[in-house]
Every structure is written in structure tokens, then in C-alpha cells.
Amino acid sequence: MRSVHSLIPLACMIWSAVNRPAQCQSLWANMDEGLSTSGPRCFLEDTQNDILYVSGAFAMAGEDVISPGIMTWDGEHFSAMDCGFNWDCVSPFSSGGLGNGGVGTLTFWNGELYAGGDIYLINGQPASNVARWDGTTWQSLGLGLDGIVYRLHGYPDGLYAVGSFTHAGGIEANGLARWDGEAWHSVYGLPLYDDVNLIYDMAWYNDQIYICGNFGSANGISDIAYYDGTAWASVGNGIRGSFSQVNLLEVHNGLLYVAGAFAQTQPYGPPDNPGCGIVTWDGANWGQLGDGTCGSGNPTIYRMTWIQDTLYVTGRFSRIGGVPTGRVGRWDGTQWCSLVPPNYFYPDIGALGAYRDTLLIGGTFWEAGPDSIIRVGKWVGGDYTSACGLPTGVVPTEPIENELAIFPNPASDHIRIEFPDSAIGEQLVLFDATGRMVDTWRIDRSKTQLDLSQFGSGSYVLKTSAGQQARFVIARQR
């Protein structure tokens, strides 16, 4: 049987034939021998001990390391944590005490590691979706929670859990609970907005607690709320839409970053939603990160992670910052770039994280462009980007009358332009993403097609001397 590595050149040729990149470049590398089944759901770096915790619904790493739901990574190899979740350390194909969701969240609190998710057995005993690692084995937290835990966060006053549970330690909690080390507590009497509150994340921001998910409509609260000191209240006008939900909250450099499945077009939201896929909140106003995932058939962002001051996201979106993508994007503070071309991962992505300032990705995939990557990989693409959107603020936000029509967009080597009659005889000017003029032409009736082969990938603006303009993207595979 041929090894995975011997198949890489063949995979490269096949992927190249289908996608026609300019060159066949490896952007991701395998981590050891990869992981089984659904791959990772969560990465958590322990910088003090220089170790990475990896969790999910998997049972094995390669053919030898068995540890259902949880493993460690030291930069070279995966290792088991005791017997994982309820494995007997003997049966090689045991999936342990995990449901389909596996271990979906990890965090530290009071110097100890905690795990949450769809966990029903620990050490052969019934468990309720949350556990503590005591340095040797996993322990239950009291009576636990009666539904799946989507996220855990450690704060000075306790370990916070959010999810689809109704009770925590036997008391009504409605999807948000706090563990103080001995007992569970409800948090500010969170009401039941639906049959079951689906709370996907929470954060403390400006000394106030925020929650998000797929809940509400009563009292103007939709998918995101905060406690104002006396009651739960809406954040702005909320996030609305038939299919909308907010998946993630994260505080960075004084802003609350809000990500999920929302847009300014239905079914993911009305025009007055604050943005597409990801926005910021400063305590009073929404802020946009360029175009976000606008233009995608599905705008959803599932995961985000920071490396220094660069933000990375993944999800179901097909465009980021106006450019096509294989669903991995990078925001550098001024513009979005796609880290992989369209149709790069097969079949799906499920996790995003970082270790030693290197981007990590996980999911059900076993193909990543030209390479075989077995459900978990690390970034080796250097400064590669497949395309970048226009930096924030380069193009005026005011609507321009009589805009030029350009086809196709995104483009590769040529574009076709439809001019208004008033433009005949005028000058046509091309600007790059920095606002630098890169070429000019005189418009005549024969000038309906422009050769772009000498220009690099990225965002451009085409303007006439009379003020008509169009924005377009050159997106080539490298």
C-alpha cells in the first residue's frame, strides 16, 4: 500500500487540473498522523507548560494513540490523557462516553483544565456534560448540566458555562450557569426566551456580562443580550433574521467581537443588521470589519482566533472582504484576505486555533488543496494569500450614480466593461487597493475588454474622468 506522502504528487496534479492554480503550493502540514472520525472541535494552548490540548469527537490519533475526546500535542506528537473520556484503556475501537458533539470546549480556571460538551460518562459513572482534570483523571462537577455545553470560560468569580441546558446542579439556569468550585449557580436570573435557550457563548465586557446564541424575539432581544444591572437587555437592535444566530463573542483591544450567522439580506437578516458574519461592539455602537462575509450564500463564521493582533476566522462563508475564499480568512486591522482558494478543504472545517503563534485548523477533511491532511493541520503557507479585499476607507462609502458594469467579477485575466454613452471619449483610470494609479486608457466603443494579465491579485477600482466607477477583484490561484 502506498503511503499518504506518496499520494501527494498525484493529489496535487488532480487538484491543479480542477482548480488551475498558478502553482501547486502546500499551505498546511499534517500534525503527526492526524486524528480519527470528526476531528477537533477545540484547541487550547497552555503557554506555561508549552502544551496544546485538542478536543473533539475523535477517539484515535493515527493507529496507536487512543484517548476519546481529548489529547495533547507537544509540537511533534499526540499523546493520550489517561484513557480519555470513559475508555477502558483496552478496547481499541471504544468511542468512550461521548455523544455526537464530543468535547467541544476547553478552558482553564483556578489553574486547572475544564472540558465541556456532549459528555455522558466519566470513569464509568454517569456524567452531565462538564468535567475537571485533576492531573491524573477526569472528575464530574456536582450534578453537572442537563444539556450540551457549548462554551466554558474561566473568570475570577467562577467557571461559566453556556449551552442548551435548562438546569445546572439541579437549579434552573436556562443556558447560563456559574460554578464556584463547590456548587452551580444561575446567573442574573436569565429568563427562558424559547422552549430551550440555545446560548453559544458569553463574555464579560466593560464590567457587564454578554450572551449570544439563537434565542429570543420577546422584548426586542434577538440572539445577543447583556445584563444592564437590573435586567437582561438588547444589544443595539439585536441580530435578526430567519436563520440568524450569534456564535462567538471575544474581547480584544477594547472591543467586543461578535461573529455568527447573520447578514444584511434575508434569510440571514434585514438591511439594518450591523454587518455580515462579524462585527464589533464598543458598548454603544456597532462597527464593521470591511464587508465581512457579505456576498456569501451562507455568511456564517463558526470559529475565530487571534495571533498577536491578526484575526483569523473560518465557517461556511464563500467570500470574505468581497473576495472568494475556501472559508479561511485573515483580518489585519484594515482588510480581509483569503488564506486558501475556493474548494480547498474537503469535506469540512470544524476548528481553528493557534500554538506557538502558528495557525491550526481541524475538521472532517482529509484533503487540503494538493495535500492529504488528516483532519488536523498546521499552517506552513508563510505570507501566502489567495486574494485580499479593499482596505477599509479606500473607497468612498457614498453611493455612486451610473456605476460601470464589469464582468466577470472576480476576474482572472480579462474583464468586459459596459460603459454609459456619456463615458465615450473619457479617460479610464485603474487604481489598486492602496489608491495608487496603476494604468489609464482612453474609452472608445471598441474598448469593451481590458487585459489584466500584467496585474497582481487583489482589489481594484476602475474610474472614468466623469466619476463613474466600479470595484472589482482579480483572484488568481498561486
Side-chain angles (χ1 to χ4, degrees), residues 23 27 99 143 162 183 199 248 255 297 331 362 370 411 414-415 431:
Q23 65 183 35
L27 304 179
L143 297 178
V162 297
I199 312 298
L248 302 165
L255 291 174
W331 172 256
H414 295 85
I415 54 172
F431 297 88

Side-chain angles (χ1 to χ4, degrees), residues 197-262:
N197 285 350
L198 297 178
I199 312 298
Y200 295 142
D201 206 356
M202 59 79 59
W204 280 96
Y205 176 63
N206 288 345
D207 295 325
Q208 294 174 314
I209 190 170
Y210 286 72
I211 60 171
C212 70
N214 187 354
F215 62 88
S217 67
N219 301 320
I221 294 177
S222 296
D223 293 347
I224 184 168
Y226 77 108
Y227 190 73
D228 66 7
T230 58
W232 289 94
S234 176
V235 178
N237 292 323
I239 301 292
R240 293 170 292 143
S242 301
F243 294 160
S244 70
Q245 62 186 44
V246 179
N247 297 324
L248 302 165
L249 299 176
E250 187 162 341
V251 178
H252 186 83
N253 283 348
L255 291 174
L256 180 66
Y257 285 75
V258 179
F262 54 86

